[in-house]
Amino acid sequence: MRRVYFDNNATTPLAPEVFEAMRPYLVEDFGNASSIHWYGQRAKAAIETAREQVAKLLHARPSEIVFTSGGTESDNAAILGIVEASRYQTKHVITTTIEHQAVLSTARAIEKRGASVTCVRVGSNGIVDPADIERAIRPDTVLISVMHANNELGTIQPLEEIGRIARERDVYFHSDAVQSAGKIPVDVEKFGIDLLALSAHKLYGPKGVGALYVRKGTILKPLIHGGHDERDRRPGTENVAGIVGLGKATEIAREHMAEEAVRLAALRDRLEAGILGAVPLATINGDRAHRMPTVTNIRFDHTEGEGFVIALDLRGIACSTGAACSSGSVEPSHVLTAIGLKHEQARSSIRFSLGRFNDDADVDAALGVLPAVVERLRAVSPNYKVPMTSDK
Ligand SMILES: *Cc1c(COP(=O)(O)O)cnc(C)c1O
């Protein structure tokens, strides 16, 4: 059976060139980057090359890149770091209702420590209105945290406008760019961003490594305490091979970004059109224009997402009901309910996220099995009436 991986927003395969770049640092170049001898210097040089590669992707300076264990740590370090470093008496943070749990759970943690948080609602298109962010600003607002591309819908948030507002009101601006970095342009200067999170395993690099961009002059309290690695911002002996892999992954992504975006948008559009043409009562969730080229989130009324994913998996198609971390829970996606879907609508939605290693044959394979799967699921659904052919 042909296996098709359409869950690239959960994680991506490791690119072979990335693996090759990492290999020496897992074997002969094992030095500790803080050591002054030849071994240490080899590791240090590799890390500095990776720092330049990551900086280039973001239009940042290498000295503004801190390596972390991934997107979750970067989001935590940004939010906790700003709040704890702030000398305001009361501290207020603004974020949105559609953020990843890495941001939302951190927001809840700072609330428990006495800060206040405003979660700004998004429209039914899955996009936040910058004017709503501006209205939420208070004299004690220390940080605005808005993601770039949403992981479930793929919707792209208006960072440039929000950045301008943050700059004008003198509030720090963090963005979780885990889903966009390496896939669409991310420019910390153009977007007016002070802090930005990215993760290697979402862009064909290894798991367990990421980066936090920290604009020069930003005062951040470190999450963890230890030695002087990563300029005191993130102590601990560096994950050299992982960092090298992240660097290489960002370099490849940057070089092929424009043509890959076009190729993947065409694949995604063909998948989407094929589904909408073959399956009655299928609806796209979220804005179709301001959206990642790699994602489609589709609601199939009178189906249940978990069963749908399992049925497709049995036929070799891997996709998801939404965020990987919320799979297995009976709660509907907070992102889909935030755009106004009813619980059963949210639970009948499926995300297909495409990536570098997908091709036309994958789309054909999915289109070959999907309509029959939907039909079978609906046949056992209590409220579903088979539509007349003229309804199609
Ligand atoms: C995957 C993801 C994260 C978490 O990144 P990890 O490296 O897996 O910790 C954070 N935010 C978004 C939007 C994500 O998609």
Side-chain angles (χ1 to χ4, degrees), residues 296-310:
T296 180
N297 190 309
I298 308 181
R299 197 176 99 214
F300 297 92
D301 283 345
H302 306 290
T303 69
E304 188 279 312
E306 207 89 328
F308 199 161
V309 168
I310 292 165

Side-chain angles (χ1 to χ4, degrees), residues 347-371:
R347 272 204 295 266
S348 67
S349 297
I350 299 288
R351 176 187 73 189
F352 300 91
S353 47
L354 283 61
R356 187 179 299 165
F357 301 105
N358 290 128
D359 58 18
D360 273 305
D362 291 341
V363 171
D364 292 336
L367 292 176
V369 302
L370 194 134

Side-chain angles (χ1 to χ4, degrees), residues 9-11 69-75 98-103 147-152 176-180 197-202 206-210 325 351:
N9 278 21
T11 194
S69 67
T72 301
E73 184 189 324
S74 295
D75 283 330
I98 60 164
E99 298 297 311
H100 189 272
Q101 286 304 341
V103 167
M147 72 196 323
H148 192 196
N150 180 265
N151 46 303
E152 294 190 35
D176 175 338
V178 172
Q179 287 295 344
S180 60
L198 62 80
S199 176
H201 79 95
K202 302 284 174 82
K207 290 166 186 62
V209 59
C325 26
R351 176 187 73 189

Side-chain angles (χ1 to χ4, degrees), residues 7-64:
D7 201 13
N8 288 274
N9 278 21
T11 194
T12 55
L14 189 70
E17 308 92 304
V18 172
F19 180 60
E20 286 312 319
M22 292 172 68
R23 187 198 293 273
Y25 299 94
L26 292 163
V27 189
E28 64 270 20
D29 289 323
F30 58 82
N32 182 324
S34 299
S35 303
I36 55 171
H37 47 59
W38 184 84
Y39 296 91
Q41 292 315 299
R42 298 271 299 174
K44 173 119 177 81
I47 290 174
E48 294 317 311
T49 300
R51 207 184 301 281
E52 285 164 22
Q53 290 166 321
V54 174
K56 202 161 176 186
L57 181 73
L58 306 176
H59 301 263
R61 282 177 276 214
S63 59
E64 296 172 315

Side-chain angles (χ1 to χ4, degrees), residues 181-203:
K183 297 171 192 164
I184 58 171
V186 173
D187 185 331
V188 292
E189 290 307 322
K190 189 168 159 221
F191 297 166
I193 283 173
D194 300 302
L195 301 126
L196 179 139
L198 62 80
S199 176
H201 79 95
K202 302 284 174 82
L203 53 104

Side-chain angles (χ1 to χ4, degrees), residues 280-281 378 384-392:
L281 299 179
R378 284 176 174 170
Y384 183 64
K385 277 204 332 299
V386 180
M388 313 288 265
T389 26
S390 60
D391 289 358
K392 283 196 184 177

Side-chain angles (χ1 to χ4, degrees), residues 41 46 57 78 84 93 96 140 162 211 251 266 284 295 344 353 365 390:
Q41 292 315 299
L57 181 73
E84 309 241 304
V93 171
T96 77
D140 62 347
I162 297 167
E251 183 183 82
I284 311 291
V295 187
E344 70 268 23
S353 47
S390 60

